[in-house]
Amino acid sequence: MIWWLEAVLVGALGGLVGVQVVLRRLSFFTMALTHATFPGVVAAAILGLNIYLGGAAAGLIVAGAVAVLSRRRGQNTAAVTGVLLSGGFALGVGLVATQDGFGIDLSEFLVGSILTVTGRDVATTAVVLALSAMVLTVLARPLLFTGFDPAAARAAGVNARAVDLTLLVTIELVVVTIVPAVGTVQALALLVAPAAAARLWTDRLALLTPLSMGFGVVSGAAGLAVSTRWNIAAGAAITLSATAILLVSLAATRTRAVRAAPSRQGSPVRQAAASPG
Amino acid sequence: MLRALTELLLLAAICGPVSVFVFARRLSFVADALTHTVFPGVVIGFLFGGASGVFLGALAAGLLTAIGLTLLDRLPSDAATAVLLTSMFAVGVALVSRRTSYTSDLTAFLFGRILTVTMSQIVETAVLGVIVLASLAIGGRAFLFRTFDPAGAAAAGYRVARLDLWLNVIVALVVVAAVRAVGTVLVVALLVVPAAAARLVTARVIPMIVVATALTAGAGYLGLWLSWTASVDHGMRVTSASAVVLLLVAAYLVLLPLPSKGRRRDLVA
C-alpha cells in the first residue's frame, strides 16, 4: 500500500509549490522543466549515476538558459522556453533511441509508474516536501514582496534575484521528484490544477496554500482509487481528479465572482485609484 | 524517403510563416498544449473510424482546444493552457491505457512515422497547408495590428477576441496536419524554433518568414539525411524527428552570437 502514501505526498507537494507556479505564471516554464530534465535522467542512467541528480543538473541548465536568453533583445521568455523544451526533449529521445534494451522506458517517463515506487522514492518525496515547505515558509515574505512589486522589493533591499532563483530551484526539485511517480504531463497537472482551483476560492495567501495542498492530496488519493477500480493509468486518473476539482470550483465560485464584482468596484482602494489627487 | 522529404518540405512551407506569428503573439505554450490535446481526438477517432477517423478526431480535438482556451478566461491564461493540456492528454492516456501494450501507441504519437508517411497523408497536409496559408494571408495584417497595438486594433473595429480565436484555430490546423506524420516532438519544435532563430537574423516580418521557412527546410533535409546515413551506414539508431529538432536548435544556438537586430522601439517582441 506504499503507493497510497506516495500519491498523497505527491499531491501535497504539487499543491504546496503550485501556488507559486500559478501566482507567478510559471506553468510553461514548469512544462519545459518536466521535458528538459529528460536528457539528464537518460544520461545519468547511461553513465550509471543517480537519475535524480541527472535530472536536477539538466533542470539547472535549463533554468539558467531561460534566464540568460530571454534577457536578449527581441527574444521573449515564451519562445526561449519553447526552444529549450523541444531541444531538451529531442536530445533525451535521441539518447534513448541509441540504447538497446534500455531500462528507462519513454512512455513510463511520460505517464509515470506510481505502482512501482519503492520505499526510497517515498522517503525522497517526504524529504523534498519537508524541504520545500521549509524554504517557502522562510521565504514567504520576500516571495510575496518580489512577486507583487519587484521594483519596490529591490528598493527595500530584498535580493530579488536570489529569491527568484531559490524559487526556481525549489520548483525544479519538486518536478524531478514528482515526474518518476506520475509522469511529465501529470506532474504539470498537479502543480497547476489544485493551486488554480484554490485561487478561485480565496484571495488570501494564508488560505491559498493549505487549500491547494488539500486539493492536491484529494486528487492523488481519488485518482489512485479510480485507477485501481477501473483499470486506468494512475497518472491520468490523478490528473482527471485534479481537473474535476477545478471544474467544480469554477462552477461553484461563479456566483461568488458575480457577487464580489460590484462590491469590489465600490471598495475604497478602487475609488482612490480612480480619482487621481 | 522521397515522400518523407516531400512531407517535411511541405511542413516547412506551412510552419515557417505560422511560427513567426506564434513567436510574435507568444503562443509557444498554446502550440505545445495543442500537440498534447489532439491526442484524445486521435484515440477516439481511431476507435470509431480506424485510420481515417484519426484525422477527423484530431481536427475536432484541436478546434475544441482553441475554443476551450477562450472559455477558460477566469483562470490566468497560462494556467488555463496547462489545465487543458494535462486534462485532455490524460483523457487520451486513460483511453489507451485500458488496452494492453498501449505504450507503443504513445511512442508512435510522439515521433510519428515520417519514414512511412503515405501519399494520402501528404495530400492531407497539402490541403490543410493551403487553408492555413490562405487564412494567414487574409488575417496577417490584422494579427500584426492586434499584436503590437491591441487597443488600437480594437478601436479600429477589429474584434480582438475573434482574431485570437482565429490564430489559435490556425495553429490547431497546423498541428493536426503535421502530428500524424511527424509526431508531437517535431511539431512543437517546428512551430517555435524557426521564428526564434529567424528573429536573431532580422526584426522584419517578411524576411523573418523567409528565414524561418528556409531554416526549417534545411534542417528537415539535413536531419533526414543524417538519420538515414547514421542508421544505414554506421548502424547507429538516430530518430529522424530528433535529428531535425536538434539541427534546428543548433541553428538557433549558432545564430545567438549575432548582434541584436532591430531598434528598441519596433521589435517583433
Side-chain angles (χ1 to χ4, degrees):
Chain A
M1 292 323 243
I2 197 165
W3 49 82
W4 286 97
L5 196 56
E6 175 76 1
V8 165
L9 283 176
V10 161
L13 188 53
L16 172 69
V17 181
V19 172
Q20 300 295 331
V21 172
V22 168
L23 288 183
R24 289 176 177 242
R25 317 207 151 187
L26 293 171
S27 305
F28 191 33
F29 175 74
T30 310
M31 180 69 180
L33 273 186
T34 61
H35 279 63
T37 51
F38 188 46
V41 171
V42 177
I46 291 175
L47 298 172
L49 301 170
N50 185 322
I51 59 166
Y52 287 114
L53 278 182
L60 275 183
I61 295 174
V62 170
V66 168
V68 171
L69 292 179
S70 40
R71 221 170 290 145
R72 193 189 159 109
R73 202 195 297 172
Q75 295 291 322
N76 60 58
T77 317
V80 170
T81 310
V83 170
L84 289 165
L85 183 157
S86 37
F89 194 51
L91 187 64
V93 165
L95 280 176
V96 169
T98 57
Q99 301 294 309
D100 268 317
F102 194 49
I104 293 183
D105 186 359
L106 186 64
S107 315
E108 207 163 84
F109 179 74
L110 281 176
V111 188
S113 50
I114 200 160
L115 300 183
T116 60
V117 292
T118 60
R120 221 173 118 212
D121 294 327
V122 176
T124 311
T125 314
V127 169
V128 171
L129 179 60
L131 210 65
S132 359
M134 214 166 68
V135 169
L136 291 181
T137 313
V138 170
L139 285 183
R141 293 183 71 87
L143 270 175
L144 186 64
F145 204 175
T146 56
F148 284 91
D149 195 345
R154 269 195 301 277
V158 177
N159 188 344
R161 193 172 288 178
V163 172
D164 287 348
L165 196 68
T166 315
L167 177 63
L168 293 188
V169 171
T170 311
I171 293 175
E172 196 225 317
L173 199 66
V174 171
V175 164
V176 173
T177 316
I178 294 186
V179 164
V182 294
T184 55
V185 177
Q186 284 79 5
L188 179 67
L190 275 181
L191 276 162
V192 176
R199 180 69 189 80
L200 291 169
W201 289 101
T202 178
D203 297 330
R204 297 168 54 93
L205 208 56
L207 287 177
L208 200 52
T209 308
L211 202 56
S212 166
M213 285 176 77
F215 285 156
V217 168
V218 173
S219 310
L224 207 52
V226 168
S227 163
T228 42
R229 175 77 180 72
W230 284 288
N231 184 28
I232 291 172
I238 292 174
T239 304
L240 291 176
S241 312
T243 315
I245 291 177
L246 177 65
L247 288 179
V248 169
S249 303
L250 269 173
T253 56
R254 187 154 218 116
T255 48
R256 179 178 175 270
V258 172
R259 228 176 334 122
S263 72
R264 248 187 232 154
Q265 258 171 7
S267 79
V269 179
R270 204 40 98 75
Q271 280 169 354
S275 56
Chain B
M1 218 26 207
L2 198 61
R3 263 184 275 166
L5 188 61
T6 316
E7 172 79 16
L8 273 180
L9 292 181
L10 263 178
L11 286 178
I14 303 169
C15 292
V18 176
S19 75
V20 170
F21 287 92
V22 169
F23 180 84
R25 287 282 295 118
R26 310 191 175 194
L27 291 177
S28 317
F29 194 25
V30 171
D32 181 45
L34 275 164
T35 59
H36 290 82
T37 55
V38 296
F39 184 51
V42 169
V43 175
I44 294 172
F46 187 77
L47 288 179
F48 284 103
S52 60
V54 167
F55 180 73
L56 282 180
L59 193 62
L63 295 179
L64 202 66
T65 315
I67 296 167
L69 285 176
T70 328
L71 287 181
L72 278 178
D73 58 350
R74 276 183 58 211
L75 300 178
S77 65
D78 69 319
T81 313
V83 167
L84 263 179
L85 184 166
T86 53
S87 57
M88 289 183 68
F89 188 72
V91 169
V93 170
L95 284 173
V96 289
S97 71
R98 293 185 53 85
R99 301 200 340 214
T100 45
S101 84
Y102 66 91
T103 47
S104 73
D105 302 332
L106 260 181
T107 317
F109 177 71
L110 279 177
F111 306 114
R113 300 209 164 93
I114 182 77
L115 293 178
T116 60
V117 70
T118 61
M119 206 54 215
S120 68
Q121 280 175 329
I122 293 181
V123 172
E124 264 168 35
T125 308
V127 170
L128 276 185
V130 170
I131 297 174
V132 163
L133 290 181
S135 18
L136 209 54
I138 296 168
R141 293 191 78 82
F143 292 145
L144 280 181
F145 195 0
R146 184 258 171 274
T147 302
F148 294 102
D149 188 358
Y158 289 109
R159 304 275 179 86
V160 169
R162 206 176 287 178
L163 283 178
D164 289 349
L165 181 63
W166 189 1
L167 191 56
N168 281 350
V169 168
I170 290 180
V171 177
L173 286 180
V174 175
V175 170
V176 171
V179 84
R180 194 144 60 102
V182 297
T184 60
V185 183
L186 186 51
V187 179
V188 180
L190 290 186
L191 280 171
V192 173
V193 189
R199 179 59 187 81
L200 296 169
V201 181
T202 171
R204 305 179 56 83
V205 172
I206 300 292
M208 253 179 92
I209 290 178
V210 174
V211 173
T213 310
L215 268 180
T216 316
Y221 179 78
L222 211 62
L224 267 187
W225 176 80
L226 260 180
S227 69
W228 175 264
T229 41
S231 34
V232 173
D233 298 345
H234 303 286
M236 272 171 61
R237 255 181 286 150
V238 178
T239 330
S240 34
S242 332
V244 175
V245 176
L246 289 176
L247 280 172
L248 270 178
V249 174
Y252 175 83
L253 293 177
V254 167
L255 293 173
L256 262 183
L258 288 179
S260 298
K261 294 294 186 307
R263 280 169 293 149
R264 193 167 278 280
R265 301 292 297 183
D266 61 10
L267 299 175
V268 176

mmCIF file of all heavy atoms in Angstrom, chain A residues 51-79:
data_model
loop_
_atom_site.group_PDB
_atom_site.id
_atom_site.type_symbol
_atom_site.label_atom_id
_atom_site.label_comp_id
_atom_site.label_asym_id
_atom_site.label_seq_id
_atom_site.Cartn_x
_atom_site.Cartn_y
_atom_site.Cartn_z
ATOM 1 N N ILE A 51 19.702 8.998 -11.015
ATOM 2 C CA ILE A 51 18.890 9.681 -12.028
ATOM 3 C C ILE A 51 18.291 10.977 -11.496
ATOM 4 O O ILE A 51 18.064 11.916 -12.248
ATOM 5 C CB ILE A 51 17.769 8.775 -12.598
ATOM 6 C CG1 ILE A 51 16.840 8.309 -11.512
ATOM 7 C CG2 ILE A 51 18.342 7.617 -13.372
ATOM 8 C CD1 ILE A 51 15.564 7.719 -12.057
ATOM 9 N N TYR A 52 18.052 11.057 -10.173
ATOM 10 C CA TYR A 52 17.552 12.318 -9.621
ATOM 11 C C TYR A 52 18.581 13.425 -9.825
ATOM 12 O O TYR A 52 18.261 14.549 -10.183
ATOM 13 C CB TYR A 52 17.248 12.178 -8.125
ATOM 14 C CG TYR A 52 16.015 11.366 -7.828
ATOM 15 C CD1 TYR A 52 16.092 10.139 -7.185
ATOM 16 C CD2 TYR A 52 14.753 11.842 -8.179
ATOM 17 C CE1 TYR A 52 14.962 9.400 -6.906
ATOM 18 C CE2 TYR A 52 13.607 11.104 -7.910
ATOM 19 C CZ TYR A 52 13.719 9.891 -7.268
ATOM 20 O OH TYR A 52 12.591 9.152 -6.999
ATOM 21 N N LEU A 53 19.865 13.065 -9.606
ATOM 22 C CA LEU A 53 20.937 14.049 -9.783
ATOM 23 C C LEU A 53 21.019 14.496 -11.237
ATOM 24 O O LEU A 53 21.153 15.690 -11.525
ATOM 25 C CB LEU A 53 22.278 13.447 -9.364
ATOM 26 C CG LEU A 53 22.579 13.471 -7.867
ATOM 27 C CD1 LEU A 53 23.959 12.892 -7.606
ATOM 28 C CD2 LEU A 53 22.485 14.898 -7.335
ATOM 29 N N GLY A 54 20.927 13.534 -12.161
ATOM 30 C CA GLY A 54 20.994 13.870 -13.586
ATOM 31 C C GLY A 54 19.880 14.815 -13.985
ATOM 32 O O GLY A 54 20.108 15.824 -14.660
ATOM 33 N N GLY A 55 18.661 14.503 -13.549
ATOM 34 C CA GLY A 55 17.519 15.350 -13.856
ATOM 35 C C GLY A 55 17.694 16.737 -13.266
ATOM 36 O O GLY A 55 17.427 17.752 -13.928
ATOM 37 N N ALA A 56 18.179 16.791 -12.021
ATOM 38 C CA ALA A 56 18.358 18.082 -11.358
ATOM 39 C C ALA A 56 19.391 18.922 -12.089
ATOM 40 O O ALA A 56 19.200 20.128 -12.300
ATOM 41 C CB ALA A 56 18.778 17.871 -9.902
ATOM 42 N N ALA A 57 20.492 18.297 -12.536
ATOM 43 C CA ALA A 57 21.538 19.039 -13.244
ATOM 44 C C ALA A 57 20.992 19.613 -14.553
ATOM 45 O O ALA A 57 21.195 20.793 -14.863
ATOM 46 C CB ALA A 57 22.732 18.130 -13.512
ATOM 47 N N ALA A 58 20.265 18.794 -15.314
ATOM 48 C CA ALA A 58 19.692 19.267 -16.580
ATOM 49 C C ALA A 58 18.715 20.411 -16.325
ATOM 50 O O ALA A 58 18.684 21.397 -17.058
ATOM 51 C CB ALA A 58 18.998 18.114 -17.301
ATOM 52 N N GLY A 59 17.921 20.284 -15.264
ATOM 53 C CA GLY A 59 16.960 21.330 -14.925
ATOM 54 C C GLY A 59 17.643 22.647 -14.601
ATOM 55 O O GLY A 59 17.184 23.719 -15.014
ATOM 56 N N LEU A 60 18.759 22.574 -13.879
ATOM 57 C CA LEU A 60 19.510 23.791 -13.540
ATOM 58 C C LEU A 60 19.985 24.493 -14.807
ATOM 59 O O LEU A 60 19.901 25.716 -14.925
ATOM 60 C CB LEU A 60 20.714 23.446 -12.667
ATOM 61 C CG LEU A 60 20.460 23.341 -11.170
ATOM 62 C CD1 LEU A 60 21.767 23.068 -10.433
ATOM 63 C CD2 LEU A 60 19.833 24.622 -10.651
ATOM 64 N N ILE A 61 20.499 23.696 -15.763
ATOM 65 C CA ILE A 61 20.975 24.272 -17.027
ATOM 66 C C ILE A 61 19.831 24.990 -17.729
ATOM 67 O O ILE A 61 19.964 26.121 -18.207
ATOM 68 C CB ILE A 61 21.557 23.167 -17.935
ATOM 69 C CG1 ILE A 61 22.809 22.578 -17.275
ATOM 70 C CG2 ILE A 61 21.891 23.713 -19.312
ATOM 71 C CD1 ILE A 61 23.382 21.384 -17.998
ATOM 72 N N VAL A 62 18.654 24.336 -17.773
ATOM 73 C CA VAL A 62 17.505 24.934 -18.454
ATOM 74 C C VAL A 62 17.078 26.235 -17.772
ATOM 75 O O VAL A 62 16.865 27.252 -18.437
ATOM 76 C CB VAL A 62 16.329 23.932 -18.487
ATOM 77 C CG1 VAL A 62 15.070 24.622 -18.974
ATOM 78 C CG2 VAL A 62 16.676 22.773 -19.388
ATOM 79 N N ALA A 63 16.974 26.185 -16.435
ATOM 80 C CA ALA A 63 16.553 27.389 -15.701
ATOM 81 C C ALA A 63 17.521 28.533 -15.979
ATOM 82 O O ALA A 63 17.104 29.672 -16.243
ATOM 83 C CB ALA A 63 16.482 27.086 -14.200
ATOM 84 N N GLY A 64 18.820 28.228 -15.956
ATOM 85 C CA GLY A 64 19.825 29.259 -16.212
ATOM 86 C C GLY A 64 19.719 29.796 -17.628
ATOM 87 O O GLY A 64 19.752 31.005 -17.856
ATOM 88 N N ALA A 65 19.531 28.882 -18.595
ATOM 89 C CA ALA A 65 19.475 29.285 -20.001
ATOM 90 C C ALA A 65 18.256 30.164 -20.262
ATOM 91 O O ALA A 65 18.356 31.161 -20.983
ATOM 92 C CB ALA A 65 19.442 28.050 -20.897
ATOM 93 N N VAL A 66 17.108 29.814 -19.677
ATOM 94 C CA VAL A 66 15.911 30.642 -19.870
ATOM 95 C C VAL A 66 16.174 32.053 -19.333
ATOM 96 O O VAL A 66 15.875 33.053 -19.991
ATOM 97 C CB VAL A 66 14.682 30.024 -19.162
ATOM 98 C CG1 VAL A 66 13.537 31.023 -19.120
ATOM 99 C CG2 VAL A 66 14.237 28.767 -19.883
ATOM 100 N N ALA A 67 16.776 32.120 -18.123
ATOM 101 C CA ALA A 67 17.033 33.426 -17.514
ATOM 102 C C ALA A 67 17.968 34.261 -18.382
ATOM 103 O O ALA A 67 17.731 35.457 -18.602
ATOM 104 C CB ALA A 67 17.629 33.240 -16.121
ATOM 105 N N VAL A 68 19.029 33.657 -18.926
ATOM 106 C CA VAL A 68 20.020 34.407 -19.698
ATOM 107 C C VAL A 68 19.472 34.791 -21.072
ATOM 108 O O VAL A 68 19.537 35.952 -21.478
ATOM 109 C CB VAL A 68 21.312 33.576 -19.859
ATOM 110 C CG1 VAL A 68 22.260 34.262 -20.836
ATOM 111 C CG2 VAL A 68 21.978 33.390 -18.513
ATOM 112 N N LEU A 69 18.883 33.807 -21.782
ATOM 113 C CA LEU A 69 18.491 34.041 -23.174
ATOM 114 C C LEU A 69 17.312 34.993 -23.299
ATOM 115 O O LEU A 69 17.223 35.758 -24.249
ATOM 116 C CB LEU A 69 18.137 32.711 -23.855
ATOM 117 C CG LEU A 69 19.322 31.772 -24.074
ATOM 118 C CD1 LEU A 69 18.858 30.487 -24.732
ATOM 119 C CD2 LEU A 69 20.380 32.445 -24.924
ATOM 120 N N SER A 70 16.368 34.965 -22.322
ATOM 121 C CA SER A 70 15.190 35.814 -22.506
ATOM 122 C C SER A 70 15.535 37.274 -22.236
ATOM 123 O O SER A 70 14.740 38.161 -22.528
ATOM 124 C CB SER A 70 14.018 35.346 -21.647
ATOM 125 O OG SER A 70 14.450 34.950 -20.394
ATOM 126 N N ARG A 71 16.726 37.551 -21.697
ATOM 127 C CA ARG A 71 17.103 38.947 -21.497
ATOM 128 C C ARG A 71 17.580 39.579 -22.813
ATOM 129 O O ARG A 71 17.726 40.776 -22.916
ATOM 130 C CB ARG A 71 18.192 39.036 -20.437
ATOM 131 C CG ARG A 71 17.963 40.218 -19.512
ATOM 132 C CD ARG A 71 18.882 40.193 -18.320
ATOM 133 N NE ARG A 71 18.558 39.134 -17.394
ATOM 134 C CZ ARG A 71 19.470 38.459 -16.702
ATOM 135 N NH1 ARG A 71 20.746 38.708 -16.872
ATOM 136 N NH2 ARG A 71 19.101 37.525 -15.861
ATOM 137 N N ARG A 72 17.865 38.736 -23.815
ATOM 138 C CA ARG A 72 18.345 39.254 -25.088
ATOM 139 C C ARG A 72 17.248 40.037 -25.803
ATOM 140 O O ARG A 72 16.090 39.652 -25.790
ATOM 141 C CB ARG A 72 18.779 38.089 -25.963
ATOM 142 C CG ARG A 72 19.557 38.555 -27.153
ATOM 143 C CD ARG A 72 19.772 37.416 -28.093
ATOM 144 N NE ARG A 72 20.050 37.997 -29.384
ATOM 145 C CZ ARG A 72 21.253 37.965 -29.944
ATOM 146 N NH1 ARG A 72 22.218 37.346 -29.369
ATOM 147 N NH2 ARG A 72 21.440 38.559 -31.092
ATOM 148 N N ARG A 73 17.620 41.140 -26.438
ATOM 149 C CA ARG A 73 16.640 41.989 -27.079
ATOM 150 C C ARG A 73 15.947 41.234 -28.223
ATOM 151 O O ARG A 73 16.600 40.581 -29.022
ATOM 152 C CB ARG A 73 17.304 43.233 -27.630
ATOM 153 C CG ARG A 73 16.317 44.366 -27.823
ATOM 154 C CD ARG A 73 16.901 45.441 -28.679
ATOM 155 N NE ARG A 73 18.071 46.055 -28.080
ATOM 156 C CZ ARG A 73 18.840 46.920 -28.752
ATOM 157 N NH1 ARG A 73 18.572 47.227 -29.991
ATOM 158 N NH2 ARG A 73 19.880 47.457 -28.163
ATOM 159 N N GLY A 74 14.615 41.341 -28.273
ATOM 160 C CA GLY A 74 13.884 40.707 -29.361
ATOM 161 C C GLY A 74 13.410 39.306 -29.015
ATOM 162 O O GLY A 74 12.408 38.860 -29.539
ATOM 163 N N GLN A 75 14.124 38.601 -28.138
ATOM 164 C CA GLN A 75 13.659 37.273 -27.750
ATOM 165 C C GLN A 75 12.674 37.427 -26.603
ATOM 166 O O GLN A 75 12.754 38.388 -25.846
ATOM 167 C CB GLN A 75 14.846 36.406 -27.299
ATOM 168 C CG GLN A 75 15.826 36.107 -28.408
ATOM 169 C CD GLN A 75 15.243 35.171 -29.447
ATOM 170 O OE1 GLN A 75 14.517 34.252 -29.128
ATOM 171 N NE2 GLN A 75 15.529 35.425 -30.712
ATOM 172 N N ASN A 76 11.733 36.506 -26.486
ATOM 173 C CA ASN A 76 10.855 36.550 -25.330
ATOM 174 C C ASN A 76 10.889 35.228 -24.579
ATOM 175 O O ASN A 76 11.294 34.201 -25.112
ATOM 176 C CB ASN A 76 9.427 36.948 -25.730
ATOM 177 C CG ASN A 76 8.820 35.972 -26.707
ATOM 178 O OD1 ASN A 76 8.715 34.787 -26.411
ATOM 179 N ND2 ASN A 76 8.432 36.455 -27.881
ATOM 180 N N THR A 77 10.457 35.298 -23.298
ATOM 181 C CA THR A 77 10.558 34.126 -22.430
ATOM 182 C C THR A 77 9.825 32.933 -23.018
ATOM 183 O O THR A 77 10.331 31.810 -22.970
ATOM 184 C CB THR A 77 9.962 34.450 -21.044
ATOM 185 O OG1 THR A 77 10.402 35.739 -20.667
ATOM 186 C CG2 THR A 77 10.408 33.446 -20.028
ATOM 187 N N ALA A 78 8.631 33.200 -23.586
ATOM 188 C CA ALA A 78 7.838 32.090 -24.121
ATOM 189 C C ALA A 78 8.608 31.353 -25.212
ATOM 190 O O ALA A 78 8.694 30.116 -25.200
ATOM 191 C CB ALA A 78 6.510 32.613 -24.674
ATOM 192 N N ALA A 79 9.193 32.121 -26.152
ATOM 193 C CA ALA A 79 9.899 31.484 -27.263
ATOM 194 C C ALA A 79 11.122 30.723 -26.771
ATOM 195 O O ALA A 79 11.365 29.577 -27.164
ATOM 196 C CB ALA A 79 10.299 32.531 -28.290
#
